[in-house]
Amino acid sequence: MCGIVGYIGNREAYPILVNGLKRLEYRGYDSAGISLLGKDQAASIYKKKGKVADLEAYAKTHDISGDIGIGHTRWATHGEPNDINAHPHASENGHFIVIHNGIIENYSHLKKKLEDRDYTFKSETDTEVLANLMEYIYLKGRVSAEIAVRLALHKVIGAYGLAIICREEPDTLIAARRGSPLVIGVGENEYFLASDATPIVEHTKSVIYLNDNEMAVLGRDKMLLKTLNNDQLTPKVQKLDMEIGDIEKNGYPHFMLKEIFEQPRSIKDTFRGRISQEMTEISLGGLHTVMPDLEKARRIIILGCGTSWHAGLIGEYLIEDLARVPVEVEYASEFRYRNPIIHKDDIVITISQSGETADSLAAIQLAKEAGATVLGICNVVGSSIPRETDAGVYTHAGPEIGVASTKAFTTQVTVLAMMAIMLSKKKGNITSSHYQNLVAELSDIPKKIDNILAYNDEFLKLARLYKDATNFLYLGRGYSFPVALEGALKLKEISYIHAEGYPAAEMKHGPIALIDENMPVVVIALQDKSYDKIVSNIQEIKARKGKVIALVTQGDTTIREMADHVMGIPPTPETLASLLTVIPLQLLSYHIAVLRGCSVDQPRNLAKSVTVE
Ligand code: G6P
């Protein structure tokens, strides 16, 4: 949440910052701001409520020169989104200019102490408190900006990713991290700073990931990396495995549509190097060291938030079904606060696209303290969760920019399917022919997704019919139940239509009361072991005049007779069907949101990377 960019070098900072903010806008978009500083100039600050485009329109009539700068795109925590609360925040006498991602928990205590020393505040933000605290220490102690920042951070409780400039030190940009991600890009006599690598990749592929409790003091041609206790560190420069094309729309009107259509490719990337050429073996290199623990695990606990939690539910069905290991799936936010029982021989798997979700990170800490082996399934390489876990698997979906998760979900489920199939073989739970059949079927999934995507126009037609509905119900059984939850989540996230996902059999315990001729009900009704039951559910809906949109196995004629609309899904084993059934639901939500004029890639109030609790 909140995107940070920074630049120090010999180029004009403004275009670098504004392009960077556009890349990071998925992290928050209720206001944006920049501050620029040159060798012989006073620092300028421009900030605006709204999107980066609003900031750009405002800034272009002002002086935007300067070769040091910081920029921010905000997801409000303290104070409503407006021009005043937008970042950057300057200290009272203008010595420090600060942007911040995170939450300073003891800000009211610090604010009171500063007010007692005659400091006044313009905004309601915790960040302005930080700027004033740094300035107070700087002036009172007559210390350098670096020392003032470090001493101030010792007084702070909370989470932060910070970019700081000091008016008197126009050759220095300071960054500090605890809990919120920061990456430094290393160029030729220039450095870039960002919340993730997407603003950096077009300038350099050499990056340094800042760890918690570290700060970097960046000059034009030198950098110092230190702990917040002032111990000097040797920077570890890594190469970015990302291309600029990965983070552009490439002709699609929205990132979400691009990412939906990328799924056949992203799932292949998830397989790459992990399924043998003869399609007989699965090998997940990232789990080799923990394989013995996995094989003897008494229980697996899967944690995640949002869409990643839905992937976790499918993981539960897969692992219990195939590998016969008991699995519990929990929201990371609930797990961490409810005093859960964690055994040393438990395996905890945390699923996260961003690898930065604050609740998931905190839950990992709890599991580690209890002695469990903690694994990660993440997309963003180098993010915090892969670094905090004992082992894990990257999904390799490539950057996901649309706030509503699509390809991250299907690649997470792909990894979970590979884990379940691999574990079931190691534990001797499936025959080798069943194993080989599942591996071959998994390899066929991208082709089958292509087959569904070819019907995109049909989903648009359907969207035209239902775009004005005020409620939607999504039903499924077994593996299709988490898909129903995910379909409902997609719709509410981007089109603001109320939607609920339910196990189909539970409909009669409540939601059936809502069904009338105005209620579209999406039913996932494949020819699997609960087919007859779900056919009955469809009849129950039709008896109450509900509108049924059914996802059926291609060739199904029974449901075609009853439902208002049917969409055919290529036949596939029940265990893998969620990778297919979710695609029509993504497309339906997408088209409904576009037709309703919603901001598809940046839905209101949401952010992609939720680094606050
Ligand atoms: C936010 C995003 C969701 C995502 C969830 C968990 O709410 O909008 O799309 O599923 O966070 O994020 P993670 O990065 O941990 O998967």
Side-chain angles (χ1 to χ4, degrees):
M1 264 160 177
C2 300
I4 290 179
V5 287
Y7 175 77
I8 179 164
N10 296 306
R11 290 196 259 168
E12 282 300 307
Y14 177 78
I16 297 170
L17 298 180
V18 165
N19 282 339
L21 288 180
K22 286 182 182 163
R23 302 254 186 247
L24 289 179
E25 219 170 7
Y26 71 88
R27 299 177 68 89
Y29 31 82
D30 56 41
S31 54
I34 50 170
S35 178
L36 297 158
L37 182 63
K39 287 186 192 94
D40 311 305
Q41 93 199 50
S44 50
I45 296 178
Y46 307 118
K47 46 192 199 172
K48 273 278 151 220
K49 178 179 173 186
K51 302 213 167 179
V52 177
D54 299 304
L55 170 70
E56 247 186 317
Y58 173 73
K60 75 177 175 211
T61 55
H62 294 76
D63 176 10
I64 47 172
S65 61
D67 50 15
I68 301 183
I70 53 179
H72 189 263
T73 176
R74 179 170 187 243
W75 187 92
T77 59
H78 291 69
E80 67 167 287
N82 59 29
D83 292 358
I84 292 175
N85 288 333
H87 297 215
H89 289 281
S91 56
E92 183 157 291
N93 302 299
H95 294 288
F96 280 81
I97 300 165
V98 178
I99 60 179
H100 168 218
N101 169 22
I103 291 184
I104 305 304
E105 288 165 18
N106 60 337
Y107 89 105
S108 53
H109 166 77
L110 295 171
K111 188 171 183 175
K112 172 85 187 42
K113 289 208 152 189
L114 286 162
E115 280 167 343
D116 291 346
R117 287 160 180 79
D118 296 330
Y119 266 88
T120 57
F121 291 83
K122 297 185 191 70
S123 78
E124 300 153 84
T125 66
D126 48 350
T127 309
E128 192 185 2
V129 175
L130 261 184
N132 279 334
L133 180 62
M134 287 168 189
E135 181 180 278
Y136 175 75
I137 295 170
Y138 178 75
L139 295 177
K140 183 96 179 152
R142 296 171 183 272
V143 290
S144 67
E146 177 197 327
I147 294 175
V149 168
R150 194 168 42 246
L151 294 179
L153 292 181
H154 275 278
K155 300 200 176 302
V156 158
I157 300 170
Y160 47 79
L162 290 167
I164 303 152
I165 51 184
C166 175
R167 206 177 51 187
E168 280 73 31
E169 297 187 21
D171 291 310
T172 308
L173 169 62
I174 299 176
R177 165 184 171 148
R178 182 187 289 158
S180 302
L182 280 178
V183 189
I184 295 165
V186 184
E188 291 264 325
N189 294 330
E190 58 184 358
Y191 287 95
F192 306 85
L193 180 69
S195 300
D196 70 35
T198 54
I200 294 177
V201 64
E202 61 201 270
H203 304 294
T204 173
K205 291 207 167 176
S206 302
V207 294
I208 298 160
Y209 293 97
L210 229 59
N211 290 312
D212 274 349
N213 301 312
E214 287 180 4
M215 67 187 282
V217 185
L218 306 171
R220 282 167 225 282
D221 53 4
K222 61 175 188 298
M223 80 167 275
L224 265 180
L225 185 66
K226 292 181 167 185
T227 65
L228 290 180
N229 288 329
N230 202 21
D231 299 321
Q232 201 154 326
L233 301 164
T234 308
K236 191 172 148 219
V237 180
Q238 303 186 30
K239 283 280 162 239
L240 273 182
D241 181 20
M242 190 191 281
E243 298 301 329
I244 187 77
D246 297 343
I247 52 172
E248 296 195 325
K249 286 189 196 148
N250 295 341
Y252 284 93
H254 298 97
F255 280 110
M256 182 178 178
L257 190 63
K258 176 190 171 220
E259 288 156 8
I260 291 173
F261 272 81
E262 269 177 351
Q263 289 174 106
R265 202 253 324 129
S266 58
I267 291 176
K268 279 188 206 148
D269 287 345
T270 309
F271 295 155
R272 203 178 304 285
R274 292 164 170 172
I275 295 189
S276 67
Q277 275 204 324
E278 312 73 48
M279 288 198 264
T280 49
E281 288 295 325
I282 289 177
S283 162
L284 294 170
L287 298 183
H288 281 171
T289 53
V290 293
M291 237 16 243
D293 302 311
L294 250 178
E295 278 176 60
K296 60 176 195 310
R298 170 147 53 137
R299 180 176 67 150
I300 293 175
I301 301 171
I302 301 181
L303 305 175
C305 304
T307 289
S308 296
W309 180 76
H310 293 158
L313 289 177
I314 297 171
E316 174 184 26
Y317 288 31
L318 279 161
I319 295 170
E320 292 204 343
D321 200 0
L322 298 172
R324 310 302 296 151
V325 182
V327 180
E328 284 174 31
V329 187
E330 277 207 56
Y331 288 115
S333 53
E334 286 299 311
F335 180 81
R336 58 178 291 205
Y337 285 118
R338 69 165 184 83
N339 194 14
I341 297 168
I342 311 167
H343 305 291
K344 286 201 169 33
D345 53 358
D346 282 338
I347 300 279
V348 174
I349 303 175
T350 306
I351 306 176
S352 173
Q353 187 287 128
S354 61
E356 300 292 351
T357 303
D359 283 320
S360 301
L361 271 163
I364 287 174
Q365 223 41 57
L366 190 71
K368 276 167 83 172
E369 280 158 21
T373 302
V374 185
L375 313 182
I377 297 177
C378 294
N379 189 35
V380 178
V381 176
S383 56
S384 300
I385 291 178
R387 288 186 290 146
E388 288 295 321
T389 42
D390 299 308
V393 184
Y394 279 118
T395 52
H396 296 310
E400 190 181 65
I401 314 281
V403 164
S405 191
T406 52
K407 64 176 181 169
F409 174 78
T410 45
T411 53
Q412 288 164 348
V413 173
T414 302
V415 168
L416 289 159
M418 288 197 282
M419 280 178 77
I421 298 169
M422 189 179 76
L423 200 56
S424 76
K425 185 179 179 216
K426 293 229 184 277
K427 292 175 78 75
N429 288 329
I430 50 172
T431 62
S432 60
S433 67
H434 186 191
Y435 174 81
Q436 286 183 10
N437 175 261
L438 279 176
V439 178
E441 287 284 355
L442 191 56
S443 317
D444 268 354
I445 291 288
K447 223 169 38 206
K448 293 180 184 174
I449 295 180
D450 271 328
N451 179 310
I452 298 170
L453 292 172
Y455 290 93
N456 184 28
D457 286 349
E458 298 302 313
F459 303 114
L460 173 59
K461 283 186 203 151
L462 204 56
R464 286 201 183 105
L465 292 177
Y466 291 104
K467 70 175 175 41
D468 297 320
T470 44
N471 294 291
F472 260 77
L473 191 59
Y474 287 73
L475 301 176
R477 285 172 177 257
Y479 285 95
S480 299
F481 162 53
V483 180
L485 293 178
E486 175 60 10
L489 177 63
K490 283 293 84 88
L491 189 71
K492 50 188 159 197
E493 276 181 308
I494 60 170
S495 70
Y496 320 138
I497 295 175
H498 169 250
E500 280 191 59
Y502 245 81
E506 282 291 305
M507 177 181 70
K508 56 186 171 294
H509 298 295
I512 198 162
L514 301 171
I515 294 178
D516 61 15
E517 66 282 7
N518 298 317
M519 174 69 106
V521 186
V522 179
V523 188
I524 308 166
L526 302 183
Q527 282 168 353
D528 55 25
K529 59 178 174 288
S530 49
Y531 180 72
D532 292 341
K533 306 279 178 215
I534 206 136
V535 167
S536 308
N537 296 139
I538 291 175
Q539 279 163 337
E540 288 154 14
I541 300 164
K542 285 315 300 173
R544 286 153 187 88
K545 299 193 169 52
K547 298 278 181 287
V548 173
I549 302 165
L551 303 191
V552 300
T553 307
Q554 274 173 3
D556 185 308
T557 49
T558 313
I559 295 178
R560 194 168 290 273
E561 304 276 295
M562 308 170 193
D564 297 84
H565 313 276
V566 293
M567 302 177 200
I569 302 293
T572 207
E574 187 178 358
T575 39
L576 304 177
S578 51
L579 289 166
L580 303 183
T581 47
V582 74
I583 310 289
L585 307 189
Q586 296 170 345
L587 284 170
L588 183 64
S589 310
Y590 170 77
H591 289 302
I592 290 179
V594 172
L595 291 170
R596 287 166 69 93
C598 299
S599 172
V600 173
D601 285 333
Q602 294 169 355
R604 70 181 179 211
N605 302 340
L606 295 178
K608 188 145 190 78
S609 184
V610 183
T611 52
V612 296
E613 295 169 19

